[in-house]
Amino acid sequence: MSAEIREPGLDELLIFIRDARGFDFTGYKRSSVARRISKRMNDIAVANYVDYRDVLETDAAEFSALFNTILINVTSFFRDPDCWAEVREQIIPELLEARPDGQIRVWSAGCSTGEEPYTLAILFAEILGEDEFANRVKIYGTDVDEDALREARSGTYPATSLAPVPADLRERYFASDGEQYTVNNDLRGRVIFGRHDITRDAPISRLDMLVCRNTLMYFNVETQKQIIDRYHFALRDGGYLFLGKAEMLLTDSNRFEVANLRRRLFRRRAGDTAQTPPALPPIQTPIQSELREVARRRRLRDLTIEAAPNAVVLVDVDGTVSMFNDLARDMFGLAATDLNRPFQDLELSHQPVDLRPMIEQAEAERRHLRVTAAERHLTNGSVEYIDVLLQPLFDDDKRKVGTALTFVDTTTASKLQNELQRTRQDLQKAYESLQSTNEELQASIEELETTNEELQSTNEELETTNEELESGNEELETMNEELRIRRGELDEARTFLSGVLSSIVAGVVVLDSQLRVRSWNRGAEELWGLRSHEVSQQPFFSLDFGLAVSHLRAIVEQCRTSRQRTGPVELAAVNRIGRKITCSVACSPLDDHGEGVVLLMEQLHRS
């Protein structure tokens, strides 16, 4: 072991990174991970691992820079074409012959930005045809890098990345937008991306093929063995393991046979009866509990700032920027390099209002200050209105430690307020003009006054109406009383129906007249994995979940037109845990006026 690896604090730093961000590098080759961490430390002039951990605790952006240094995302479409030719000509036909009617399950582990699983999808679609491919093949792409997975899920790549893709395949499976290409929806829909750590998480099971190319080489021998154990568990008998050219599997011939050594293709031997995936033992150190608690608190603080509904910037007592959330990044164009910069060097320190003297005032007076509707002129010529709240921060000893700046975009409200003020002024002028007219126009004046009162509040409108219809006052009071009683009954009925809706095991989805989601009950959440707040007011036919909602448009339109119950229809679907099911869907009108529909979704069986 080198002196660099023996440097105090490396194990504690790796455990802190694992507990704070969920990236477990303890099983990586120590020489490699130590060298890459040292490179990052040299870039920011940090002397040792202990000091670098302090940097990570205070600078959330440094985690991203470190992960980009450690995680080498090297991939491309049809990387090593001769290997993919072997997969196309030999492996895939053998899999289809072995399972002529069954579903084919493929896992691309360490998929980076997604080129590899999309390559697999193209090959299967070419051999099976797009319709049969959509019905029979499911491809999983996993990685530990969330940034890489976001790119993979988008399915959008520059033209240079598609250079290895033959022109006919590029035209068939990608849509061009200038210099960008996007995977078509049919192909994208059969690839499921998710975060997965092959050293810690349970493997995907019942696989016909597992692709993990040039990933194992970054781990030490012990971790490689444990990962191979998991891969062996994940594959069916006869399933293929496709490794990278830098990796071999020569010492495990009792469990894997060589299919093509040159192409690094191996096949799982039949006969192993293991039922559970092996688990990697956790690393225990005397300070692990303390590190976990520190990491948990720091993560909680970071999440609280990020989850804030408004842009937040924290300025340290020495006048430097110590933290900001994503909303602040988007609103003011901040970058990771702006952390630890003097606040006065940033444009937002004096735009839309000079905040520097106000920060000093808030700290000196030890109270909150607020700026209302400050105008911010954007480069495109438009104007934003922003409320700024300055909150001085003090520790337990009442010593000032900094200032929290909260920016609230009130552009819409301010514009509405200005418009309302102008409307009021216009109405006042109209009212004064009407007062100068003769008695013959008095009825018109009263009508305009009534209209003006309607704009103010419903109560004033009712008072004016009651004055004009004084002779019918008793009748109106009786009617109002009946309405109040009926409203109470309606509220009770709504509460009762809400309770019934939430208790229904089946999925119930209520759509409004625009076919947007109005209600999404607990049964729908359990069936599809989407929460009510995620789909509320979203167009139903634009939702992407385990049910092919486009197949429901006919019965929904029929229900809206006939205002009678339609269905049920039975559709193949995939529930929230990825299992194929048959779903029965019935559609009923919400009312007699075509204002919406109610969809009842019931799982008939799993396949």
Side-chain angles (χ1 to χ4, degrees):
M1 186 178 291
S2 67
E4 181 181 32
I5 299 176
R6 292 194 301 269
E7 183 175 340
L10 178 58
D11 284 339
E12 288 78 5
L13 177 63
L14 295 178
I15 294 171
F16 168 76
I17 294 171
R18 182 189 66 192
D19 293 340
R21 286 295 187 271
F23 284 82
D24 189 358
F25 298 119
T26 57
Y28 281 52
K29 292 179 180 178
R30 288 304 177 87
S31 58
S32 297
V33 73
R35 182 171 59 255
R36 291 172 187 166
I37 292 176
S38 296
K39 179 182 183 302
R40 187 59 201 163
M41 290 165 55
N42 291 334
D43 291 342
I44 62 173
V46 174
N48 55 61
Y49 296 123
V50 176
D51 291 343
Y52 188 57
R53 176 188 158 190
D54 291 339
V55 173
L56 292 174
E57 289 183 344
T58 58
D59 185 357
E62 179 59 27
F63 276 102
S64 297
L66 174 62
F67 296 155
N68 289 335
T69 302
I70 296 179
L71 301 174
I72 301 176
N73 294 321
V74 179
T75 185
S76 66
F77 289 98
F78 294 96
R79 186 183 183 190
D80 301 324
D82 52 347
C83 296
W84 287 106
E86 179 74 13
V87 171
R88 180 182 66 251
E89 297 168 6
Q90 298 294 329
I91 305 304
I92 293 180
E94 288 185 18
L95 292 177
L96 298 177
E97 182 179 357
R99 299 177 60 79
D101 298 316
Q103 186 183 74
I104 304 297
R105 292 165 59 87
V106 183
W107 179 16
S108 174
C111 70
S112 186
T113 50
E115 288 90 335
E116 191 171 85
Y118 287 132
T119 298
L120 286 163
I122 291 172
L123 293 182
F124 275 101
E126 281 294 289
I127 294 174
L128 288 172
E130 294 187 43
D131 291 339
E132 187 174 358
F133 163 71
N135 292 328
R136 294 188 55 192
V137 181
K138 183 171 289 186
I139 300 174
Y140 300 89
T142 66
D143 204 280
V144 294
D145 190 340
E146 289 285 4
D147 292 336
L149 287 173
R150 275 194 291 271
E151 294 186 40
R153 291 188 182 101
S154 72
T156 301
Y157 302 93
T160 53
S161 295
L162 270 75
V165 181
D168 59 329
L169 299 183
R170 186 164 59 243
E171 182 177 352
R172 189 175 307 142
Y173 296 107
F174 294 84
S176 174
D177 182 15
E179 293 300 315
Q180 297 289 322
Y181 285 82
T182 302
V183 178
N184 68 34
N185 291 334
D186 292 337
L187 198 70
R188 171 65 185 88
R190 302 309 300 166
V191 183
I192 301 172
F193 291 102
R195 188 185 186 281
H196 183 279
D197 188 338
I198 60 176
T199 67
R200 300 175 64 185
D201 299 330
I204 299 171
S205 60
R206 297 181 291 110
L207 297 173
D208 298 282
M209 186 176 185
L210 199 162
V211 181
C212 183
R213 309 191 66 216
N214 298 327
T215 299
L216 294 177
M217 65 182 184
Y218 296 112
F219 298 98
N220 58 39
V221 174
E222 179 183 359
T223 305
Q224 287 184 16
K225 180 180 181 302
Q226 292 164 334
I227 294 172
I228 291 298
D229 289 343
R230 292 181 165 210
Y231 285 176
H232 179 261
F233 168 83
L235 287 165
R236 304 181 194 265
D237 287 345
Y240 283 92
L241 177 61
F242 185 13
L243 300 179
K245 285 193 171 182
E247 299 159 330
M248 294 289 286
L249 194 64
L250 298 179
T251 60
D252 209 345
S253 59
N254 60 323
R255 294 190 298 176
F256 291 91
E257 62 180 352
V258 175
N260 189 320
L261 183 61
R262 184 178 180 185
R263 310 302 184 209
R264 301 298 189 266
L265 287 161
F266 305 88
R267 181 160 41 197
R268 185 190 193 275
R269 294 184 183 274
D272 195 301
T273 59
Q275 297 298 316
T276 58
L280 295 179
I283 295 178
Q284 299 291 336
T285 68
I287 64 171
Q288 183 172 0
S289 297
E290 178 186 352
L291 289 173
R292 184 178 292 110
E293 180 63 18
V294 171
R296 186 190 68 81
R297 291 178 180 176
R298 184 190 183 283
R299 181 61 173 162
L300 181 61
R301 183 193 66 186
D302 290 351
L303 289 174
T304 301
I305 297 297
E306 289 296 341
N310 301 302
V312 177
V313 178
L314 299 183
V315 180
D316 206 343
V317 68
D318 61 0
T320 60
V321 178
S322 61
M323 184 178 292
F324 45 76
N325 61 5
D326 280 339
L327 290 176
R329 293 185 183 95
D330 296 339
M331 180 177 286
F332 299 107
L334 300 176
T337 54
D338 292 319
L339 285 170
N340 300 318
R341 286 184 60 190
F343 178 69
Q344 64 182 12
D345 292 349
L346 302 182
E347 181 181 358
L348 69 90
S349 67
H350 54 85
Q351 290 290 342
V353 64
D354 192 352
L355 297 175
R356 293 166 293 185
M358 299 186 67
I359 291 176
E360 297 175 358
Q361 179 184 352
E363 292 178 347
E365 298 178 1
R366 306 176 77 87
R367 66 183 182 90
H368 297 178
L369 297 180
R370 182 183 295 274
V371 179
T372 303
E375 292 188 7
R376 181 182 181 219
H377 296 272
L378 304 180
T379 55
N380 60 6
S382 61
V383 177
E384 282 185 345
Y385 296 90
I386 299 175
D387 287 358
V388 186
L389 176 64
L390 297 90
Q391 300 170 281
L393 305 176
F394 302 92
D395 60 16
D396 294 338
D397 297 328
K398 306 301 181 182
R399 293 176 300 186
K400 60 183 180 181
V401 295
T403 303
L405 307 177
T406 303
F407 300 86
V408 183
D409 187 348
T410 60
T411 302
T412 301
S414 297
K415 289 182 178 180
L416 289 174
Q417 183 65 31
N418 293 338
E419 184 66 25
L420 179 60
Q421 184 64 30
R422 287 193 294 270
T423 301
R424 286 176 175 173
Q425 293 174 356
D426 292 343
L427 290 173
Q428 183 63 29
K429 291 178 181 179
Y431 177 74
E432 292 175 354
S433 175
L434 289 172
Q435 280 187 325
S436 64
T437 60
N438 56 38
E439 295 180 356
E440 295 177 357
L441 297 177
Q442 185 63 35
S444 298
I445 294 175
E446 291 177 356
E447 182 180 352
L448 290 174
E449 288 177 346
T450 302
T451 302
N452 185 51
E453 293 295 331
E454 289 175 355
L455 294 174
Q456 301 303 317
S457 69
T458 303
N459 289 332
E460 293 180 3
E461 178 188 19
L462 291 174
E463 289 174 0
T464 302
T465 304
N466 286 335
E467 291 176 0
E468 294 177 353
L469 303 174
E470 186 174 357
S471 62
N473 184 53
E474 293 181 359
E475 179 182 353
L476 289 176
E477 288 179 352
T478 302
M479 293 176 61
N480 287 337
E481 181 63 26
E482 291 177 357
L483 288 175
R484 283 195 292 271
I485 294 173
R486 291 181 181 179
R487 185 171 60 186
E489 294 173 347
L490 180 60
D491 289 340
E492 291 179 0
R494 285 179 177 170
T495 302
F496 173 77
L497 290 177
S498 179
V500 170
L501 188 62
S502 63
S503 66
I504 293 176
V505 176
V508 177
V509 179
V510 180
L511 307 181
D512 62 17
S513 60
Q514 302 299 318
L515 299 183
R516 294 174 300 201
V517 177
R518 182 175 176 181
S519 179
W520 184 277
N521 79 334
R522 186 177 302 170
E525 293 180 351
E526 293 296 324
L527 187 57
W528 307 121
L530 292 177
R531 299 303 177 195
S532 176
H533 68 272
E534 295 175 332
V535 299
S536 179
Q537 297 303 313
Q538 297 297 317
F540 177 74
F541 289 103
S542 69
L543 297 179
D544 183 11
F545 56 96
L547 182 66
V549 295
S550 60
H551 295 167
L552 298 177
R553 189 179 292 276
I555 69 167
V556 171
E557 292 299 333
Q558 182 183 354
C559 178
R560 295 178 66 193
T561 303
S562 65
R563 299 181 183 174
Q564 294 181 353
R565 188 174 188 269
T566 57
V569 297
E570 295 183 4
L571 300 176
V574 179
N575 66 14
R576 67 182 179 85
I577 62 174
R579 293 188 180 275
K580 294 186 68 176
I581 64 172
T582 298
C583 183
S584 174
V585 184
C587 183
S588 301
L590 182 61
D591 54 31
D592 294 332
H593 306 290
E595 291 300 322
V597 297
V598 180
L599 297 176
L600 179 64
M601 306 174 181
E602 295 181 279
Q603 176 178 326
L604 298 182
H605 62 83
R606 297 178 181 174
S607 61

